[in-house]
Amino acid sequence: MADGPTPEQQADYLVRKLEQTIRDNRTVKGMSFRTWQAIAREEITNAIRAVEKRHADHDRSVGRGLVVAAASLVSIGFWGAVVAVDHAYGGIAALVALVAGAALFFVGVEWGLRRVGGDWSRRRRAERLAHIDDLDRRIKRMEETLRKKHDRLKDRMEEMGPL
């Protein structure tokens, strides 16, 4: 079961996020190792919590589906036994069986829709991470281009001498 971005994509995202945080908090001396450790620990903890939450939500959905299915089957079986014992309750049994079947059907539909929605959001998350990666590469290329341009202009100004 694919739960969104691959571990490699998540690791790349965390590394980029840490890199950006380090760059944003850069001082003349740089960021202390303890500060970097605290930030890294927090980001990794958040990523692990997100994965655990997705698994807990999935387990909860499966459990709910099983409980509703079991309750529906017990209701159908009970009323089937009532119908077998006495045909006088056939209409009521049919109505209860219809309601139990409808409940099972709607829970199944809801579970399917939730699963489709989860698949869609996982694909969107993976696409966003790919876009972030692409944007990060373009920004680094632009930084390198600007750095080279700065060096060329600095050399040209040195060649021209003081004004």
Side-chain angles (χ1 to χ4, degrees):
M1 180 171 111
D3 280 338
T6 64
E8 291 81 13
Q9 288 175 325
Q10 288 179 339
D12 290 341
Y13 176 73
L14 283 175
V15 167
R16 280 193 303 274
K17 194 167 183 181
L18 287 171
E19 178 184 355
Q20 187 62 42
T21 303
I22 290 169
R23 287 181 187 204
D24 290 347
N25 293 326
R26 186 180 296 170
T27 61
V28 175
K29 296 166 78 177
M31 179 181 280
S32 73
F33 185 69
R34 288 186 192 270
T35 305
W36 183 87
Q37 275 183 323
I39 292 169
R41 185 177 298 119
E42 181 180 339
E43 291 300 326
I44 292 169
T45 302
N46 289 340
I48 291 171
R49 281 187 184 139
V51 169
E52 288 175 348
K53 183 181 182 319
R54 283 197 303 266
H55 285 293
D57 290 346
H58 176 73
D59 291 346
R60 190 177 313 121
S61 295
V62 170
R64 286 178 183 164
L66 290 174
V67 166
V68 170
S72 299
L73 290 175
V74 167
S75 296
I76 291 168
F78 172 77
W79 286 105
V82 168
V83 169
V85 172
D86 187 6
H87 288 288
Y89 296 111
I92 295 171
L95 183 62
V96 170
L98 177 68
V99 169
L104 179 60
F105 174 75
F106 287 124
V107 167
V109 167
E110 188 265 339
W111 191 18
L113 289 175
R114 189 179 296 222
R115 189 175 174 114
V116 168
D119 290 343
W120 181 80
S121 60
R122 280 190 291 276
R123 280 194 305 274
R124 293 292 301 155
R125 211 172 20 251
E127 288 174 9
R128 282 193 301 265
L129 283 174
H131 288 306
I132 289 170
D133 191 33
D134 181 52
L135 181 61
D136 191 43
R137 273 187 261 124
R138 289 189 342 221
I139 289 172
K140 286 182 181 181
R141 278 195 310 256
M142 288 173 56
E143 285 176 344
E144 184 62 29
T145 304
L146 287 173
R147 192 173 11 259
K148 287 178 182 177
K149 190 174 187 178
H150 176 266
D151 291 341
R152 280 194 315 265
L153 288 174
K154 188 176 176 183
D155 291 343
R156 192 177 291 168
M157 285 181 65
E158 288 175 0
E159 287 174 5
M160 294 179 78
L163 294 176

